[in-house]
Amino acid sequence: MIIRVKFGKEGALRFIGHLDVLRTFQKIFRRADIPMAYSQGFSPHPIMSFALPLGLGLSSEGEYLDAEIVWPEEPGEGDSCPPPDAGEGAPVPEPVPEPVPELVEGLVEGTGGGDSCPPPEAGEGGPPPKAVVGGGDLLSALRAATSPDLPIYAVRRLPEKAGNAMASVGRAAYRLEIRPEWTGELKEAAQALMARESILIQKETKSKTVEMDLRPCIHKLEVNQGDSPPHLILHLSAGSKANIKPELVWELLNAGYGERKPLSLRRLDLMLEDGTSLGAIGEEL
Amino acid sequence: MRKLALSEEILNTVEKPARYVGGELNSVMKDKEQVALRFAFCFPDVYDIGMGNLGLQILYDLFNRRPEVWCERVYSPWPDLDRIMRERQIPLFALESQDPIKEFDFLGITLQYEMCYTNVLQVLDLSGIPLLARERGEEDPLVIGGGPCTYNPEPIADFFDLFYIGEGEVVYDALFDLTIRLKQAGASRQEILKAAAGIEGIYVPSLYAPRYHADGTLAAFIPLCPEAPEKVRRVIVKDMDRAAYPENPLVPFVRPVQDRVTLEIMRGCIRGCRFCQAGMVYRPVRERSLERLMAIADHSLAGSGYDEISLSSLSSSDYSDIAPLVTGLMEKCSREHINISLPSLRIDAFSLDVMSKVQDVKKSSLTFAPEAGTQRLRNVINKGLTEEDIMRGAALAFHGGWTKVKFYFMLGLPTEEESDMKGIPELCQRVASLFFDEIPKEERKGKIQITASSSFFVPKPFTPFQWAKMEKKEEYLRRAHLVKDTFRAQVNARSMHYEYHDADVTVLEGVFARGDRRIGQVILRAYELGAIFDAWTERFDDARWQQAFQDCGVDPDFYTMRERPGEELFPWDFIDIGVSKAFMRREWERAMEGIVTPNCREQCSGCGAASYGCGICPGGGR
């Protein structure tokens, strides 16, 4: 079964690079006792892929990884333990800033039946699942195994034909905190920028510099001052086709104001090209 | 949300900011208002190196089991951050709370190798703690040193309030109880130190004074108050099965040097190699039981999520139940996609069979550590490995498909002659020839590759070679070049690669290893001249150290170029490690005659470690 895990990066984790996050998740799955599927070959590795690496220093509440786990596919099949009915499973909460241990406890209570079912028999070749983890338990097991700076928000089961997270990313949403005194200037700059038909920029690739139009890559640009603290919301093209860093748009908006930097930079979500959140695909477990 | 001591701007500037932010899996957070004692545990090198240290993991776990104690960690900031912290006067902080070290009750520094001494000063300095213990005030943390280098703490005695002599599991509880009680009663720093000196294994250097003869050798080492015992006895764990073991080891986010669970199977070594300090100061051999080890492996792997486990000991093949242990681990690990790493296994049919199952034969290499090139010199150093052992092991390995072989040697061992130096390449050549003799051309699966590396021998305290004379840097290099030239002249020279360690560092290590209190000023001076991270070859600058010796009027040759007379009082003689000086002298004399001493399992040689009444010693149990 392929699952999609939605997670965040806070505090210390902002300074942990992509590869280290990947290795950490391998450990979290082991700590959570969720058996992963392995690739073939002399040095098999767990099958896991991430949607889009996050730049060092950024926090996030909308990161995704897809993982293949060894999991009974169909309820009632063979000796497999049936996952609890979706209706009975614990409600998966909306992203919370910091999952607290009490919440995890509550989730464990909400799932029924998982504990009383005997573990499935070991299949030929593959490792036997070490423990039976019920549907909602998957989330609570991961939460109990992670660190507070690496919160896990949701686990969904991906349909057969869903593209993997990495291939399907089309957009990314960011939130940039700003100083109150910048809001006026930034609003004007944002309006001017969005009113332009094209924004030609020089983009450096590995081998050469190419000219590209940034305008169709900016899907949303808002300056919000009502809420405190004031901030910018940016929806930008992301992924393999065009990957625009929020810093690039920030520089355009702040041209003429010297070395101005946003107070903080946070990724809010990753989306398909049509704007659907990667977290909306598949079914809740 | 945890606060961070460094601003976002700084963290975005420095190399590997993950070194400074903490928050790792299994790191421990407590409420500082709810604890009675805060301990900052420092490994004075960069995070990546210090993170995986087993001693740190054991004590971090042990201390934090006490609800009223909070143990946190601190490592040396890399020079890029070091510079920023000095410029902006940012105090050094602990990773967990990110609070300044100066607010702690203890700063504990583990001393794993001599070349970290200037980093000790860096840590104190960045913390805002006076470098010299005598200049510290009531508000400063108590600075305590532990680890292998404390078997001669004298060169760094001026910088520490206390040293812990022995294995960390034993008396820290008593020290914490005493400190909490006395602090609550309003006792002064001096009162706490005097009381601590009464705990077995605790050495308070300020309570002792050395006296020297006119020729510079030590005349006496005098306790200055009744609380200071004449001898400080090393403390050890008597029953390894009952000793605490971290079942939820810290797991860093960034890849550390040791990215795996470490399974310490036993302490001590039966072999008694005469150059080896660990082989003497960890006597007697004490094993963990097979059952306990399997349970630890289960818990540590589950608690950490690591996918690799490594056996740790001085000589794993000598563990009584090595075969069932390795077989049991292999069963578990192949089931759960876990790799096993088996360092320090002797090459024989069993170990080769195991290794062929857990690693890729074509890629991996086999390691022999003969330490010396000739049987004569191997007898002098009491290294049990014979040429026959090496040849038999190598032949088995070649038939098993291995083609890469590594050899470790030492140059500059006592009594070494030119024939011993040339013996190194000659031995390697015989192994290369063996490959061509044993394996027919059509069955060879690759080219034979022999890598030999040599370090220069440094005499250590509490070894039979503690009386030995060292050589000058130029002489070390001459010997290394002679070995290199002899390698070039071998028939299969193209299949052999030789490398040797730095000679500058060797001489300095020699001074630190057997130095006395007068060396402290030299270390301080070198630090003032800019020395830090001396263990890093690219950062080590010998000129700074030569300058420091000159500025302090200290002659390094006094410490390295003398063969010490049998009756000389050593700066470390006030420490009682259980193994007697008389035994080591006997071993020195046997070495000079080339006589081998049987290992602890064959026959007890009466070294004195039996006084602990545990382990392999007669009447010790296991």
Side-chain angles (χ1 to χ4, degrees), chain B residues 6 10-11 13-16 19-20 44-46 74-93 118-128 131 527-534 539 544:
Chain B
L6 299 172
I10 294 174
L11 286 166
T13 316
V14 298
E15 194 187 315
K16 299 196 193 173
R19 288 166 171 168
Y20 312 111
D45 206 321
V46 75
V74 57
Y75 302 90
S76 291
W78 191 244
D80 58 348
L81 180 60
D82 176 283
R83 191 178 44 78
I84 294 173
M85 292 176 82
R86 284 171 205 268
E87 278 169 12
R88 307 194 191 177
Q89 299 186 322
I90 301 168
L92 186 60
F93 52 90
T118 49
N119 279 40
V120 169
L121 297 181
Q122 176 213 21
V123 166
L124 292 170
D125 207 0
L126 290 177
S127 301
L131 303 184
Y527 173 71
E528 288 167 357
L529 291 169
I532 50 166
F533 285 98
D534 288 305
R539 307 222 145 248
R544 261 194 301 241

Side-chain angles (χ1 to χ4, degrees), chain A residues 10-17 20-21 23-24 26-28 30-32 36 38-39 42-44 46 56-57 97-98 127-128 130 145-150 263-265, chain B residues 1-2 4 7-8 11-12 16-18 21-26 248-249 251-256 259 301-307 335-338 358-361 363:
Chain A
E10 309 282 359
L13 251 296
R14 289 177 298 154
F15 300 99
I16 307 304
D20 290 325
V21 173
R23 292 185 324 105
T24 300
Q26 293 178 357
K27 294 189 172 85
I28 289 172
R30 280 186 178 278
R31 281 156 58 95
M36 301 200 66
Y38 275 71
S39 64
F42 195 85
S43 48
L56 225 54
E98 275 179 283
K130 287 181 290 184
T146 191
S147 113
D149 287 348
L150 190 64
L263 302 181
S264 71
L265 193 46
Chain B
M1 185 77 57
R2 286 167 60 248
L4 296 177
S7 71
E8 210 138 305
L11 286 166
N12 282 320
K16 299 196 193 173
V21 294
E24 303 94 329
L25 300 176
N26 292 331
N248 293 303
V251 184
F253 296 119
V254 293
R255 186 166 230 151
D259 190 26
L301 286 166
S304 65
Y306 275 117
D307 61 2
R335 220 168 38 229
E336 297 171 21
H337 287 288
I338 290 162
V358 301
Q359 52 188 223
D360 187 349
V361 171
K363 285 184 198 150

Side-chain angles (χ1 to χ4, degrees), chain B residues 167 266-270 278-279 282-286 313-315:
Chain B
E167 295 168 0
M266 60 178 175
R267 248 171 234 180
C269 179
I270 59 170
Y282 298 125
R283 286 185 175 214
V285 166
R286 289 148 291 152
S313 77
L314 292 167
S315 171

Side-chain angles (χ1 to χ4, degrees), chain A residues 2-273:
Chain A
I2 297 171
I3 55 168
R4 177 162 292 170
V5 178
K6 181 175 184 182
F7 65 96
K9 284 177 85 176
E10 309 282 359
L13 251 296
R14 289 177 298 154
F15 300 99
I16 307 304
H18 176 63
L19 283 176
D20 290 325
V21 173
L22 184 143
R23 292 185 324 105
T24 300
F25 262 106
Q26 293 178 357
K27 294 189 172 85
I28 289 172
F29 272 87
R30 280 186 178 278
R31 281 156 58 95
D33 220 356
I34 300 170
M36 301 200 66
Y38 275 71
S39 64
Q40 302 294 311
F42 195 85
S43 48
H45 54 271
I47 299 169
M48 194 190 283
S49 73
F50 285 72
L52 190 66
L54 184 67
L56 225 54
L58 273 71
S59 66
S60 174
E61 60 188 55
E63 300 300 299
Y64 298 91
L65 73 87
D66 293 352
E68 190 175 341
I69 61 173
V70 180
W71 186 257
E73 278 292 336
E74 293 297 322
E77 184 193 348
D79 292 326
S80 303
C81 174
D85 288 343
E88 278 178 31
V92 178
E94 286 301 297
V96 284
E98 275 179 283
V100 286
E102 292 78 56
L103 183 59
V104 172
E105 302 257 345
L107 283 168
V108 175
E109 280 172 17
T111 58
D115 286 343
S116 55
C117 182
E121 295 264 322
E124 282 282 316
K130 287 181 290 184
V132 176
V133 185
D137 270 354
L138 214 54
L139 178 60
S140 46
L142 285 171
R143 284 184 166 181
T146 191
S147 113
D149 287 348
L150 190 64
I152 293 172
Y153 301 127
V155 182
R156 292 171 83 97
R157 175 196 193 131
L158 285 189
E160 288 277 308
K161 283 171 197 155
N164 74 45
M166 196 188 290
S168 49
V169 174
R171 296 185 189 180
Y174 299 93
R175 183 181 196 273
L176 289 73
E177 222 171 274
I178 54 176
R179 288 193 195 284
E181 60 266 31
W182 299 345
T183 44
E185 294 152 10
L186 280 170
K187 271 194 169 172
E188 269 178 43
Q191 267 175 9
L193 197 70
M194 293 303 275
R196 284 167 67 174
E197 285 204 348
S198 69
I199 308 165
L200 294 181
I201 54 157
Q202 304 293 318
K203 201 171 183 206
E204 279 175 41
T205 65
K206 271 173 207 155
S207 51
K208 57 187 178 193
T209 308
V210 291
E211 189 168 79
M212 69 166 288
D213 186 2
L214 189 64
R215 183 61 192 82
C217 300
I218 307 175
H219 306 285
K220 189 179 199 177
L221 172 50
E222 281 176 13
V223 183
N224 298 329
Q225 65 187 135
D227 320 334
S228 101
H231 60 267
L232 231 74
I233 297 287
L234 268 177
H235 286 198
L236 302 173
S237 289
S240 49
K241 280 187 197 158
N243 197 40
I244 307 301
K245 289 187 174 169
E247 291 94 334
L248 181 64
V249 179
W250 174 262
E251 278 167 28
L252 287 174
L253 291 172
N254 289 278
Y257 294 106
E259 286 280 287
R260 205 184 250 182
K261 287 256 164 68
L263 302 181
S264 71
L265 193 46
R266 183 171 179 84
R267 188 140 82 190
L268 300 177
D269 204 4
L270 293 170
M271 297 157 290
L272 303 182
E273 207 130 17

Side-chain angles (χ1 to χ4, degrees), chain B residues 552-566:
Chain B
C552 298
V554 172
D555 177 13
D557 288 357
F558 172 78
Y559 299 96
T560 55
M561 295 305 291
R562 295 185 301 124
E563 181 177 326
R564 288 149 164 83

Side-chain angles (χ1 to χ4, degrees), chain B residues 6 36 50 73 79 120 141 209 216 273 286 321 328 339 450 489 524 582 608 620:
Chain B
L6 299 172
R73 292 159 301 139
V120 169
C273 298
R286 289 148 291 152
D321 288 325
N339 299 314
I450 294 179
L524 184 57

